[in-house]
Amino acid sequence: MTELDVQTLQRRLAAFAAARDWEQYHTPKNLAAALSVEASELVEIFQWLTPEQSARVMERPETAHRVADEVADVLAYLLQFCEVLGIDALSALSEKIDRNESRFPVPEGQESTEMGDRHSSE
């Protein structure tokens, strides 16, 4: 199996849509709406669970399968949305994290742990 990357997945999704002549429906508005619907379907799984039950949702195979399917649907529509609008999803996320780190600095007295520091012993 080959390593997965965002561009490869986006090409597969685009080819899937093109083969079925669905590109005409993949407008930013429609993709944003579909993304919202799929995110709501993910929320629905957790709607009436307690915090403790929601933390264990992946322990039950039938629920784990539903969660994974909805996550895949959300990601698929998000990647298609980004493709249509020319957004590099990973760059956008990295830039957003940078902005959040500036907007929400670590409170004084708390030690900041960088990802590299946590994994330095590996």
Side-chain angles (χ1 to χ4, degrees):
M1 184 170 179
T2 61
E3 183 176 324
L4 296 177
D5 62 69
V6 171
Q7 290 78 25
T8 299
L9 294 171
Q10 285 176 311
R11 283 193 299 272
R12 286 183 65 195
L13 289 165
F16 182 89
R20 290 152 181 83
D21 197 27
W22 292 351
E23 294 167 308
Q24 61 186 316
Y25 306 111
H26 287 191
T27 65
K29 178 193 77 69
N30 288 350
L31 291 169
L35 176 59
S36 176
V37 168
E38 294 301 338
S40 294
E41 289 178 8
L42 179 60
V43 170
E44 183 181 30
I45 296 168
F46 295 89
Q47 185 173 8
W48 303 113
L49 300 181
T50 66
E52 295 78 18
Q53 290 169 324
S54 70
R56 295 188 315 270
V57 74
M58 299 305 285
E59 294 172 6
R60 295 179 54 221
E62 63 278 2
T63 309
H65 178 71
R66 287 181 58 214
V67 171
D69 273 357
E70 295 307 332
V71 167
D73 288 342
V74 168
L75 183 56
Y77 280 116
L78 180 60
L79 292 178
Q80 290 173 90
F81 180 82
C82 289
E83 178 73 14
V84 166
L85 290 179
I87 297 169
D88 179 329
L90 297 182
S91 292
L93 177 57
S94 180
E95 291 168 10
K96 181 65 175 184
I97 293 169
D98 290 344
R99 286 191 305 276
N100 283 343
E101 287 173 341
S102 295
R103 286 182 60 205
F104 306 104
V106 176
E108 289 203 27
Q110 285 187 341
E111 188 173 318
S112 174
T113 305
E114 294 292 325
M115 287 293 291
D117 293 341
R118 281 189 259 166
H119 299 292
S120 61
S121 63
E122 295 178 359

